[in-house]
């Protein structure tokens, strides 16, 4: 039985808690938030036999904890990940692990040094429906692909203006990288605020160039109901030998054939399941939760952020 503390008790914690408490080899022993009321609300909703605390140190003093789920806001997440590892705990983190490559690599090295697992949620890239789309174009040569992901948020939460790149764009980068084994060699990015819709609203565009001549264009952001897409986004791709489209839910068209995908658990359930399989069975960390592969996406994200600030096309040294 692996004993886990959930650190950060906002809305997304409810999703994690449902999956954690359903696992026969997991016990949630602590709920941690700087706002103790938030931890107590989650405790009441989840109906778990767990202590509530305002710090990880306090939780460790009150309960047996072997791993933490790090759901703190992006600005605090890297330091919480480091603290968890330093305290000898495994860390299951939400994306992005960091927004720059060097700190991500440092955290991965730290996990190796202390002999603890560090895994990252990569649910959009490894969602079953999107994976079917990836398989439909696999091995068919260079792709010309496009995607769009728009989310309607009534309240920004931790988000402020110009955060759509790190919050949504990192998903798009992870999804685009799954379309080819070739490395990213260049990126362009723009982001425009849309304060007339909401303080946190905006539009991001990404153009990723790969070493095999694959080009992926993506646009997305926080907007209203008119632009809203499924959470996985909508994707399409052309190759020299055919095309494919994915509606972000259950419809996949390959050439002229429409395929209705079988119902499947959402990507986040599969990713959490993979993390727990690693912790309870000691298996090799799969790509769906790999911090090392995620750090490569962070390198692309960092280049996109630089492009955003300079307006330039940023070249990468064959990031893969």
């Amino acid at each position: 039985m692996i004993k886990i503390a959930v650190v950060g008790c906002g809305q997304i914690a409810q999703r994690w808690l449902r999956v954690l408490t359903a696992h026969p080899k997991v016990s949630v022993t602590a709920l941690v938030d700087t706002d103790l009321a938030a931890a107590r609300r989650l405790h009441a909703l989840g109906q778990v036999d767990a202590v509530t605390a305002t710090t990880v140190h306090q939780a460790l003093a009150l309960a047996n904890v072997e791993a933490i789920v790090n759901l703190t806001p992006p600005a605090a997440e890297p330091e919480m990940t480091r603290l968890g590892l330093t305290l000898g705990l495994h860390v299951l983190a939400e994306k992005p692990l960091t927004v720059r490559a060097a700190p991500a690599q440092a955290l991965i090295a730290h996990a190796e040094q202390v002999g603890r697992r560090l895994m990252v949620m990569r649910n959009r890239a490894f969602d079953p429906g999107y994976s079917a789309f990836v398989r439909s174009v696999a091995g068919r040569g260079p792709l010309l692909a496009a995607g769009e992901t728009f989310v309607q948020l009534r309240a920004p939460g931790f988000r402020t203006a110009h955060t759509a790149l790190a919050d949504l764009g990192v998903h798009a980068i992870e999804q685009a990288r799954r379309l080819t084994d070739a490395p990213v060699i260049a990126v362009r990015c723009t982001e425009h605020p849309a304060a007339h819709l909401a303080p946190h609203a905006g539009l991001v565009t990404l153009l990723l160039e790969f070493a095999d001549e694959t080009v992926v264009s993506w646009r997305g952001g926080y907007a209203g109901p008119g632009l809203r897409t499924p959470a996985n986004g909508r994707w399409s791709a052309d190759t020299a030998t055919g095309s494919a489209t994915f509606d972000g839910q259950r419809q996949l068209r390959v050439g002229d054939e429409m395929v209705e995908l079988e119902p499947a658990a959402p990507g986040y359930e599969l990713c959490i399941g993979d993390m727990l399989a690693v912790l309870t069975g000691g298996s090799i960390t799969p790509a769906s939760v790999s911090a090392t592969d995620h750090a490569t996406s962070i390198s692309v994200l960092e280049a996109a952020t630089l492009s955003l600030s300079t307006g330039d096309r940023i070249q990468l040294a064959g990031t893969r």
Side-chain angles (χ1 to χ4, degrees), residues 55-91:
T55 69
V56 171
H57 287 99
Q58 185 183 31
L60 291 176
L62 296 172
N64 188 357
V65 177
E66 299 168 88
I68 64 170
V69 172
N70 185 359
L71 307 181
T72 55
E77 184 174 2
E79 186 55 38
M80 181 56 66
T81 295
R82 176 167 290 278
L83 174 62
L85 294 171
T86 300
L87 292 173
L89 306 172
H90 305 292
V91 178

Side-chain angles (χ1 to χ4, degrees), residues 194-213:
H196 58 286
L197 295 178
H200 57 284
L203 171 68
V204 180
T205 67
L206 276 172
L207 188 69
L208 303 179
E209 302 172 42
F210 292 79
D212 66 348
E213 299 184 350

Side-chain angles (χ1 to χ4, degrees), residues 124-171:
R124 301 298 178 216
F126 289 88
D127 182 87
Y130 185 77
S131 293
F133 172 67
V134 171
R135 290 192 297 272
S136 75
V137 296
R140 300 177 70 175
L143 307 177
L144 184 62
E148 61 174 5
T149 312
F150 285 97
V151 176
Q152 183 182 16
L153 282 181
R154 300 189 185 281
F158 61 81
R159 302 168 185 87
T160 57
H162 294 288
T163 60
L165 173 60
D167 200 31
L168 294 178
V170 67
H171 276 308

